[in-house]
Amino acid sequence: MLLLLTTPGAALGVEADAAPAVAQAEEEALAVPAAGSPLAGQPDPAAASAGAPGPASVREVGHPPAGAPARTARVEVVRTAPLPAAPGPPPRTAPPAPVAPPASPVAEPIRARREGLQIEVGGQVFVGGAADARDGWKRDVALDRARIEVRGSMPGLLTVIEADVADTKPLKDAFVRLDGPSATRLTAGRFKPPFLERENVSAWKLPRIGRGVVNDYLVDRNELGGRRVGAVGAVRPWDGALEVSAGVFQGTPNGDEKPPQDYVARAAVRLAGALELGAAGYRAGRSAPDAPRREAGSAFAALDAGPLAVSLEALTGRIEQGTFTAGIGLVEYTIPVGKRLRVTPMAGVEALRLRAPAQGTGSSAVGGAVLGFGEGLKLKVQGERARRPGEKAPANAIAVQLATRF
C-alpha cells in the first residue's frame, strides 16, 4: 500500500497513524467517489471484469482545509485493475496413435511355396601347392577342387547333386536318400559305397592333404570302392546309434560289355556318443571266370571327444597283385585361438604289405597342422615321408593347401 502526502508533517502523521488512516481511507473510498473515478452507484468496469478487488493505492486528492491540523491528510484509496493473468500452457494432449503402414508384399520362402522343400547351394574351392623329392623338388601349384553342390530336402527325403569343374569327370555325386519307417533308409544313385572309412571322410573335415598311400592304392588303383552307381539299404535304430547297411553297385568291366556287380556291407555302433566301432566288407564282381578276385574286409574305430579326434582302421583282402594287409592311424587335436581362429596339429601313419604272388610294401608318416578361420576357411600345411608300393625307398614331400567353402 502506497501513501502520497503533500506536507512533511502529514507524512509524519500518517507514519504514526498508518493503520487507522488506512482503514478510514478505505471506508471513505467506498462511500465517496474520487475525482476521475466512476460515478457513485456505478460499478467499476475493471473491478467487475476482474470479479475480485484488485490491489489498492492511497493518494492525496486535495489540500487540507484551513485550520485543519497539519498532521491530518485526506487520502483516497483507489482500486486499480488487476493485471491480466499470464496465458497458461496449452493443455497437453496425447500424441496420436501411430498408424501401422500397409503390409508390403514379401515373397514367401521357397520351402513355403514348395510345401516344405528346402534348397541349399554350396561349394568348395581348394588350391594347393606341393614339392616332391621324387621330382627334384619341382614346385607345382594347381586347382585341386572346384565343386558346387545343390541339396534339396523335405521331411524324410534328401537329394544331392555335386559337380567338380576342376576334374576331367565333373559329375561326382547324384543320389536320392529316403528315410522310411522303422528307422530304415534307402540311398540310390551315384555315390561312395560305405567301405574304407578314410575314403568316406569329407576332404573338408580330413586334416591332412590327400587320403594317403593305402587309400590311393586300394581305391584309385584297384577300385575297391570309390564313386559308382548303386543302391544301399540301411537300418538305423536308436537314432542311428546302431547302423547296419548293405548294397549293390555297378562294378568295373573286365573285357566284357556287361559290367559286373559289386557288393558291400557295413555295421557300426556308436558308444557314449563319442566312440564308434565297426566293420565293413567289399567284394568286386568278375565279368569273366578267369578274372582275378578283388575283395577286402576292414575293422575300424573312431573317437571324437571334443578337441581330440583319433581314427584307426585295419584291412585285409585280395587284389590283382595278391593278398594284402594294411593299417591306417590318424590323430588330431584342435586348439582354439581367440573367438574364430583354430589351430589343429595332426600326425598319422600308414602301412601296406603285399604278399604272394607279388610282394611289396608301402608306408607313410605325415605331420602338419591346420589353421582354421571360422567355418569357411582353412589353411593346411604338411610334410610327409612315404614309400608307395613298387618304390625302392621312401621320399619326402611337402604340401600346402588353401581351402574355402560357401
Side-chain angles (χ1 to χ4, degrees):
M1 182 176 292
L2 180 62
L3 298 180
L4 302 178
L5 305 178
T6 58
T7 63
L12 296 176
V14 171
E15 184 178 358
D17 302 329
V22 171
Q24 182 179 1
E26 289 181 355
E27 294 178 359
E28 291 179 358
L30 294 177
V32 181
S37 63
L39 297 177
Q42 295 182 357
D44 187 350
S49 61
S57 63
V58 180
R59 66 178 181 177
E60 183 182 5
V61 298
H63 297 281
R71 57 181 301 178
T72 303
R74 182 185 176 198
V75 296
E76 179 183 6
V77 178
V78 179
R79 300 286 182 179
T80 60
L83 296 175
R92 300 180 62 182
T93 57
V99 180
S104 58
V106 179
E108 296 180 353
I110 295 177
R111 60 179 178 271
R113 291 201 307 265
R114 297 294 185 266
E115 298 181 357
L117 174 63
Q118 298 185 24
I119 297 178
E120 300 178 5
V121 179
Q124 299 178 0
V125 177
F126 293 1
V127 178
D132 198 316
R134 300 174 182 87
D135 300 328
W137 295 105
K138 180 181 178 181
R139 292 178 293 274
D140 183 24
V141 178
L143 180 62
D144 298 332
R145 173 176 297 201
R147 294 191 180 183
I148 186 167
E149 181 185 72
V150 179
R151 286 175 171 256
S153 61
M154 297 178 65
L157 178 65
L158 173 66
T159 62
V160 175
I161 299 177
E162 185 180 34
D164 191 345
V165 299
D167 200 331
T168 56
K169 297 179 179 180
L171 182 61
K172 295 302 178 181
D173 290 331
F175 64 86
V176 177
R177 190 182 73 192
L178 176 65
D179 291 331
S182 302
T184 58
R185 173 176 288 179
L186 176 63
T187 307
R190 176 182 168 84
F191 58 102
K192 292 181 179 181
F195 175 72
L196 197 58
E197 294 301 297
R198 174 67 63 83
E199 170 69 6
N200 283 273
V201 175
S202 167
W204 174 266
K205 185 178 179 181
L206 192 65
R208 59 164 295 155
I209 301 173
R211 299 187 184 274
V213 170
V214 173
N215 190 97
D216 293 346
Y217 189 76
L218 296 181
V219 177
D220 298 340
R221 182 170 176 177
N222 289 277
E223 296 183 318
L224 287 175
R227 284 185 173 90
R228 54 190 68 232
V229 177
V232 171
V235 180
R236 308 173 67 252
W238 303 301
D239 294 330
L242 172 65
E243 181 174 2
V244 179
S245 60
V248 57
F249 288 84
Q250 179 178 299
T252 303
N254 186 11
D256 196 340
E257 295 181 356
K258 183 179 180 181
Q261 301 297 321
D262 292 1
Y263 302 94
V264 64
R266 180 181 182 272
V269 59
R270 185 174 294 276
L271 305 175
L275 178 63
E276 185 179 22
L277 304 174
Y282 193 92
R283 181 175 182 179
R286 294 188 293 178
S287 56
D290 57 346
R293 292 168 50 190
R294 292 180 292 120
E295 55 192 10
S298 71
F300 60 88
L303 174 66
D304 188 0
L308 176 65
V310 181
S311 62
L312 301 171
E313 189 168 10
L315 300 103
T316 184
R318 176 185 293 272
I319 54 178
E320 184 177 354
Q321 292 81 5
T323 60
F324 73 91
T325 56
I328 302 174
L330 185 66
V331 59
E332 58 182 297
Y333 191 87
T334 301
I335 304 171
V337 180
K339 294 183 178 180
R340 305 189 64 184
L341 192 64
R342 303 180 304 276
V343 178
T344 305
M346 68 88 186
V349 294
E350 299 180 60
L352 172 67
R353 182 175 180 85
L354 294 173
R355 304 182 185 276
Q359 294 184 358
T361 59
S363 61
S364 170
V366 62
V370 180
L371 182 64
F373 183 78
E375 299 298 328
L377 186 63
K378 286 184 177 182
L379 176 64
K380 299 180 180 180
V381 180
Q382 77 175 31
E384 183 180 26
R385 182 173 179 83
R387 178 182 180 181
R388 305 186 184 101
E391 295 180 345
K392 296 181 179 181
N396 299 328
I398 58 175
V400 178
Q401 186 179 75
L402 180 64
T404 182
R405 68 177 181 177
F406 55 90

